[in-house]
PDB file of all heavy atoms in Angstrom:
ATOM      1  N   THR A 404     -11.512  59.769 -29.474  1.00 97.00           N
ATOM      2  CA  THR A 404     -11.986  60.169 -28.143  1.00 97.00           C
ATOM      3  C   THR A 404     -12.290  61.654 -28.079  1.00 97.00           C
ATOM      4  O   THR A 404     -13.052  62.090 -27.215  1.00 97.00           O
ATOM      5  CB  THR A 404     -10.948  59.819 -27.060  1.00 97.00           C
ATOM      6  OG1 THR A 404      -9.694  60.422 -27.396  1.00 97.00           O
ATOM      7  CG2 THR A 404     -10.760  58.311 -26.961  1.00 97.00           C
ATOM      8  N   GLY A 439     -13.419  51.658 -22.544  1.00 95.00           N
ATOM      9  CA  GLY A 439     -12.953  52.373 -21.363  1.00 95.00           C
ATOM     10  C   GLY A 439     -13.628  53.714 -21.165  1.00 95.00           C
ATOM     11  O   GLY A 439     -13.393  54.388 -20.160  1.00 95.00           O
ATOM     12  N   PHE A 440     -14.482  54.116 -22.131  1.00 96.00           N
ATOM     13  CA  PHE A 440     -15.203  55.386 -22.037  1.00 96.00           C
ATOM     14  C   PHE A 440     -16.697  55.106 -22.040  1.00 96.00           C
ATOM     15  O   PHE A 440     -17.191  54.301 -22.825  1.00 96.00           O
ATOM     16  CB  PHE A 440     -14.839  56.307 -23.205  1.00 96.00           C
ATOM     17  CG  PHE A 440     -13.397  56.746 -23.198  1.00 96.00           C
ATOM     18  CD1 PHE A 440     -12.426  55.959 -23.783  1.00 96.00           C
ATOM     19  CD2 PHE A 440     -13.015  57.933 -22.589  1.00 96.00           C
ATOM     20  CE1 PHE A 440     -11.091  56.337 -23.780  1.00 96.00           C
ATOM     21  CE2 PHE A 440     -11.689  58.328 -22.582  1.00 96.00           C
ATOM     22  CZ  PHE A 440     -10.721  57.528 -23.169  1.00 96.00           C
ATOM     23  N   CYS A 441     -17.416  55.784 -21.143  1.00 96.00           N
ATOM     24  CA  CYS A 441     -18.846  55.516 -20.961  1.00 96.00           C
ATOM     25  C   CYS A 441     -19.733  56.716 -21.245  1.00 96.00           C
ATOM     26  O   CYS A 441     -20.951  56.576 -21.349  1.00 96.00           O
ATOM     27  CB  CYS A 441     -19.114  55.042 -19.535  1.00 96.00           C
ATOM     28  SG  CYS A 441     -18.364  53.440 -19.146  1.00 96.00           S
ATOM     29  N   GLY A 442     -19.144  57.897 -21.339  1.00 97.00           N
ATOM     30  CA  GLY A 442     -19.927  59.104 -21.580  1.00 97.00           C
ATOM     31  C   GLY A 442     -19.230  60.004 -22.578  1.00 97.00           C
ATOM     32  O   GLY A 442     -18.115  59.728 -23.037  1.00 97.00           O
ATOM     33  N   ILE A 443     -19.908  61.105 -22.908  1.00 98.00           N
ATOM     34  CA  ILE A 443     -19.345  62.062 -23.852  1.00 98.00           C
ATOM     35  C   ILE A 443     -19.769  63.468 -23.454  1.00 98.00           C
ATOM     36  O   ILE A 443     -20.868  63.673 -22.931  1.00 98.00           O
ATOM     37  CB  ILE A 443     -19.799  61.738 -25.299  1.00 98.00           C
ATOM     38  CG1 ILE A 443     -19.006  62.548 -26.320  1.00 98.00           C
ATOM     39  CG2 ILE A 443     -21.307  61.955 -25.458  1.00 98.00           C
ATOM     40  CD1 ILE A 443     -19.224  62.085 -27.751  1.00 98.00           C
ATOM     41  N   GLN A 444     -18.877  64.418 -23.640  1.00 98.00           N
ATOM     42  CA  GLN A 444     -19.162  65.824 -23.361  1.00 98.00           C
ATOM     43  C   GLN A 444     -19.179  66.607 -24.665  1.00 98.00           C
ATOM     44  O   GLN A 444     -18.295  66.444 -25.506  1.00 98.00           O
ATOM     45  CB  GLN A 444     -18.118  66.421 -22.419  1.00 98.00           C
ATOM     46  CG  GLN A 444     -18.310  67.923 -22.149  1.00 98.00           C
ATOM     47  CD  GLN A 444     -17.422  68.410 -21.039  1.00 98.00           C
ATOM     48  OE1 GLN A 444     -17.717  68.191 -19.868  1.00 98.00           O
ATOM     49  NE2 GLN A 444     -16.318  69.063 -21.390  1.00 98.00           N
ATOM     50  N   GLN A 513     -23.141  66.961 -20.871  1.00 97.00           N
ATOM     51  CA  GLN A 513     -22.638  65.595 -20.965  1.00 97.00           C
ATOM     52  C   GLN A 513     -23.809  64.638 -21.129  1.00 97.00           C
ATOM     53  O   GLN A 513     -24.955  64.981 -20.837  1.00 97.00           O
ATOM     54  CB  GLN A 513     -21.842  65.224 -19.709  1.00 97.00           C
ATOM     55  CG  GLN A 513     -20.650  66.116 -19.442  1.00 97.00           C
ATOM     56  CD  GLN A 513     -19.980  65.830 -18.108  1.00 97.00           C
ATOM     57  OE1 GLN A 513     -20.477  65.018 -17.314  1.00 97.00           O
ATOM     58  NE2 GLN A 513     -18.860  66.470 -17.843  1.00 97.00           N
ATOM     59  N   THR A 514     -23.512  63.452 -21.632  1.00 97.00           N
ATOM     60  CA  THR A 514     -24.521  62.408 -21.687  1.00 97.00           C
ATOM     61  C   THR A 514     -23.837  61.059 -21.564  1.00 97.00           C
ATOM     62  O   THR A 514     -22.701  60.875 -22.025  1.00 97.00           O
ATOM     63  CB  THR A 514     -25.338  62.468 -22.985  1.00 97.00           C
ATOM     64  OG1 THR A 514     -26.295  61.394 -22.989  1.00 97.00           O
ATOM     65  CG2 THR A 514     -24.448  62.326 -24.212  1.00 97.00           C
ATOM     66  N   PHE A 515     -24.540  60.128 -20.926  1.00 96.00           N
ATOM     67  CA  PHE A 515     -24.052  58.758 -20.809  1.00 96.00           C
ATOM     68  C   PHE A 515     -24.992  57.804 -21.533  1.00 96.00           C
ATOM     69  O   PHE A 515     -24.954  56.607 -21.337  1.00 96.00           O
ATOM     70  CB  PHE A 515     -23.886  58.384 -19.335  1.00 96.00           C
ATOM     71  CG  PHE A 515     -22.792  59.151 -18.664  1.00 96.00           C
ATOM     72  CD1 PHE A 515     -23.021  60.413 -18.134  1.00 96.00           C
ATOM     73  CD2 PHE A 515     -21.509  58.644 -18.604  1.00 96.00           C
ATOM     74  CE1 PHE A 515     -21.999  61.147 -17.537  1.00 96.00           C
ATOM     75  CE2 PHE A 515     -20.476  59.365 -18.010  1.00 96.00           C
ATOM     76  CZ  PHE A 515     -20.724  60.626 -17.482  1.00 96.00           C
ATOM     77  N   PHE A 519     -23.503  57.147 -28.894  1.00 97.00           N
ATOM     78  CA  PHE A 519     -23.351  58.593 -28.879  1.00 97.00           C
ATOM     79  C   PHE A 519     -23.774  59.154 -30.234  1.00 97.00           C
ATOM     80  O   PHE A 519     -23.086  58.976 -31.241  1.00 97.00           O
ATOM     81  CB  PHE A 519     -21.907  58.990 -28.581  1.00 97.00           C
ATOM     82  CG  PHE A 519     -21.385  58.476 -27.268  1.00 97.00           C
ATOM     83  CD1 PHE A 519     -20.067  58.059 -27.147  1.00 97.00           C
ATOM     84  CD2 PHE A 519     -22.207  58.409 -26.150  1.00 97.00           C
ATOM     85  CE1 PHE A 519     -19.580  57.587 -25.937  1.00 97.00           C
ATOM     86  CE2 PHE A 519     -21.733  57.945 -24.925  1.00 97.00           C
ATOM     87  CZ  PHE A 519     -20.407  57.528 -24.825  1.00 97.00           C
ATOM     88  N   THR A 543     -15.723  65.299 -26.298  1.00 98.00           N
ATOM     89  CA  THR A 543     -14.678  64.645 -25.509  1.00 98.00           C
ATOM     90  C   THR A 543     -15.310  63.457 -24.809  1.00 98.00           C
ATOM     91  O   THR A 543     -16.251  63.617 -24.028  1.00 98.00           O
ATOM     92  CB  THR A 543     -14.089  65.600 -24.454  1.00 98.00           C
ATOM     93  OG1 THR A 543     -13.595  66.777 -25.096  1.00 98.00           O
ATOM     94  CG2 THR A 543     -12.964  64.925 -23.686  1.00 98.00           C
ATOM     95  N   GLN A 544     -14.810  62.262 -25.076  1.00 98.00           N
ATOM     96  CA  GLN A 544     -15.359  61.091 -24.409  1.00 98.00           C
ATOM     97  C   GLN A 544     -14.886  61.052 -22.958  1.00 98.00           C
ATOM     98  O   GLN A 544     -13.759  61.455 -22.638  1.00 98.00           O
ATOM     99  CB  GLN A 544     -14.967  59.816 -25.158  1.00 98.00           C
ATOM    100  CG  GLN A 544     -15.564  59.747 -26.559  1.00 98.00           C
ATOM    101  CD  GLN A 544     -15.731  58.336 -27.067  1.00 98.00           C
ATOM    102  OE1 GLN A 544     -16.089  57.424 -26.310  1.00 98.00           O
ATOM    103  NE2 GLN A 544     -15.487  58.145 -28.357  1.00 98.00           N
ATOM    104  N   LEU A 545     -15.769  60.560 -22.087  1.00 97.00           N
ATOM    105  CA  LEU A 545     -15.527  60.554 -20.648  1.00 97.00           C
ATOM    106  C   LEU A 545     -15.232  59.130 -20.174  1.00 97.00           C
ATOM    107  O   LEU A 545     -15.964  58.188 -20.504  1.00 97.00           O
ATOM    108  CB  LEU A 545     -16.747  61.091 -19.899  1.00 97.00           C
ATOM    109  CG  LEU A 545     -17.275  62.457 -20.367  1.00 97.00           C
ATOM    110  CD1 LEU A 545     -18.541  62.819 -19.610  1.00 97.00           C
ATOM    111  CD2 LEU A 545     -16.208  63.519 -20.189  1.00 97.00           C
ATOM    112  N   SER A 546     -14.174  58.993 -19.384  1.00 95.00           N
ATOM    113  CA  SER A 546     -13.802  57.685 -18.845  1.00 95.00           C
ATOM    114  C   SER A 546     -14.934  57.122 -17.983  1.00 95.00           C
ATOM    115  O   SER A 546     -15.676  57.861 -17.335  1.00 95.00           O
ATOM    116  CB  SER A 546     -12.528  57.791 -18.005  1.00 95.00           C
ATOM    117  OG  SER A 546     -11.447  58.234 -18.801  1.00 95.00           O
ATOM    118  N   CYS A 547     -15.070  55.836 -17.983  1.00 92.00           N
ATOM    119  CA  CYS A 547     -16.129  55.198 -17.198  1.00 92.00           C
ATOM    120  C   CYS A 547     -15.988  55.553 -15.718  1.00 92.00           C
ATOM    121  O   CYS A 547     -14.888  55.502 -15.153  1.00 92.00           O
ATOM    122  CB  CYS A 547     -16.068  53.683 -17.366  1.00 92.00           C
ATOM    123  SG  CYS A 547     -16.406  53.133 -19.060  1.00 92.00           S
ATOM    124  N   GLY A 548     -17.078  55.952 -15.102  1.00 70.00           N
ATOM    125  CA  GLY A 548     -17.083  56.310 -13.705  1.00 70.00           C
ATOM    126  C   GLY A 548     -16.623  57.707 -13.407  1.00 70.00           C
ATOM    127  O   GLY A 548     -16.487  58.106 -12.250  1.00 70.00           O
ATOM    128  N   MET A 549     -16.391  58.514 -14.459  1.00 62.00           N
ATOM    129  CA  MET A 549     -15.881  59.885 -14.248  1.00 62.00           C
ATOM    130  C   MET A 549     -16.730  60.870 -15.013  1.00 62.00           C
ATOM    131  O   MET A 549     -17.288  60.557 -16.074  1.00 62.00           O
ATOM    132  CB  MET A 549     -14.444  60.002 -14.727  1.00 62.00           C
ATOM    133  CG  MET A 549     -13.436  59.150 -13.959  1.00 62.00           C
ATOM    134  SD  MET A 549     -11.769  59.347 -14.628  1.00 62.00           S
ATOM    135  CE  MET A 549     -11.526  61.114 -14.414  1.00 62.00           C
ATOM    136  N   ASN A 550     -16.833  62.088 -14.475  1.00 53.00           N
ATOM    137  CA  ASN A 550     -17.387  63.233 -15.175  1.00 53.00           C
ATOM    138  C   ASN A 550     -16.283  64.259 -15.387  1.00 53.00           C
ATOM    139  O   ASN A 550     -15.326  64.314 -14.614  1.00 53.00           O
ATOM    140  CB  ASN A 550     -18.525  63.887 -14.388  1.00 53.00           C
ATOM    141  CG  ASN A 550     -19.819  63.119 -14.534  1.00 53.00           C
ATOM    142  OD1 ASN A 550     -19.833  61.972 -14.955  1.00 53.00           O
ATOM    143  ND2 ASN A 550     -20.921  63.791 -14.189  1.00 53.00           N
ATOM    144  N   ILE A 551     -16.409  65.064 -16.400  1.00 48.00           N
ATOM    145  CA  ILE A 551     -15.498  66.201 -16.578  1.00 48.00           C
ATOM    146  C   ILE A 551     -16.225  67.444 -16.126  1.00 48.00           C
ATOM    147  O   ILE A 551     -17.249  67.823 -16.699  1.00 48.00           O
ATOM    148  CB  ILE A 551     -15.056  66.356 -18.041  1.00 48.00           C
ATOM    149  CG1 ILE A 551     -14.227  65.146 -18.459  1.00 48.00           C
ATOM    150  CG2 ILE A 551     -14.272  67.630 -18.252  1.00 48.00           C
ATOM    151  CD1 ILE A 551     -13.767  65.182 -19.894  1.00 48.00           C
TER     152      ILE A 551
END
Side-chain angles (χ1 to χ4, degrees):
T404 56
F440 295 86
C441 294
I443 191 169
Q444 177 170 282
Q513 301 173 354
T514 179
F515 293 85
F519 301 143
T543 304
Q544 296 206 38
L545 307 176
S546 298
C547 295
M549 296 179 59
N550 281 16
I551 295 179

